[in-house]
Amino acid sequence: MNRRFITATLLMLLFSAVVSAQVEKASWLFGGSSNLEFDASTEKMKSGSTTNEVSKYTDFDFRPQVGYFVIDKLPVGIFMDISLDKQKMSQSEDEYTWTSFVLGPFARYYITNLDGFMPFAQVSAGIGAGKNSYTYSGNTSDSKYTTFSFGIGIGGTYFVTENVGFDLLIGYRGDQEKYKNESPERSETEETTYKYGGIGLNLGIIVSLGK
């Protein structure tokens, strides 16, 4: 059989799979992404000709999600956001750790299909909890908090097969953390609130399964 014919046939099959991604009603969407904050680095300080290691830092963020297409191109579902951070000082046993977990709904709408690349808009909101720990001179101090998170963004999924695609999301995320501090002097609890917000980038993999 002619080699060109075989190649053309395979390309047509691949193209057909790409442009017929599973985004119709009653399909399922599974995904996992990261905001690209995974890091394992070392902080160093140079003074004159001497360089000393100051601390080691690790950072990891992961966001799994599952959705159901209630109509064509529109999946709604649940996401989780898991974040783990740690900083350890090199010249002592001092250590900082941050952990948080957020759970909530999301909705995504695929706008159109551009030969396998499908741009979308997405919104999400969730509630969760976190814990900050600080170890200094052998003593550990913990701070627990509750958090509310919301996000809105745009992005695109490039389906390399009918069911699997690479996901890119750029958007704004806001977080509100509430700490409760005991006040022994006044026998009451004080509440401190911190607010954060900014633009982020998430990269992940999507699996879409048909009916």
Side-chain angles (χ1 to χ4, degrees), residues 122-139:
Q122 178 169 305
V123 294
S124 64
I127 57 175
K131 178 180 177 181
N132 300 334
S133 295
Y134 173 43
T135 300
Y136 177 77
S137 299
N139 298 312

Side-chain angles (χ1 to χ4, degrees), residues 53-70:
E53 182 179 290
V54 177
S55 66
K56 291 183 178 180
Y57 181 77
T58 57
D59 182 12
F60 175 73
D61 186 273
F62 182 58
R63 185 182 176 118
Q65 61 184 21
V66 56
Y68 180 77
F69 284 84
V70 293

Side-chain angles (χ1 to χ4, degrees), residues 109-111 117-122 153-157 167-171:
Y109 183 71
Y110 283 104
I111 301 168
F117 177 75
M118 302 189 67
F120 63 79
Q122 178 169 305
I154 58 174
T157 302
D167 215 41
L168 178 67
L169 172 67
I170 302 173

Side-chain angles (χ1 to χ4, degrees), residues 17-46:
V18 167
V19 298
S20 59
Q22 299 283 350
V23 293
E24 71 272 12
K25 181 179 178 180
S27 296
W28 286 90
L29 184 76
F30 301 90
S33 63
S34 172
N35 61 8
L36 305 182
E37 285 188 350
F38 175 72
D39 185 23
S41 59
T42 301
E43 180 184 359
K44 296 182 178 180
M45 179 180 67
K46 185 176 182 180

Side-chain angles (χ1 to χ4, degrees), residues 29-37 60-66 77-84 100-108 120 122-127 149-153 167 169 171-175 200-206:
L29 184 76
F30 301 90
S33 63
S34 172
N35 61 8
L36 305 182
E37 285 188 350
F60 175 73
D61 186 273
F62 182 58
R63 185 182 176 118
Q65 61 184 21
V66 56
I78 298 293
F79 78 92
M80 290 186 293
D81 199 314
I82 304 165
S83 180
L84 307 171
S100 66
F101 175 84
V102 175
L103 176 70
F106 81 93
R108 168 182 293 193
F120 63 79
Q122 178 169 305
V123 294
S124 64
I127 57 175
S149 174
F150 72 92
I152 182 170
D167 215 41
L169 172 67
Y172 175 86
R173 171 171 171 171
D175 293 278
L201 174 69
N202 282 63
L203 182 65
I205 296 178
I206 287 293

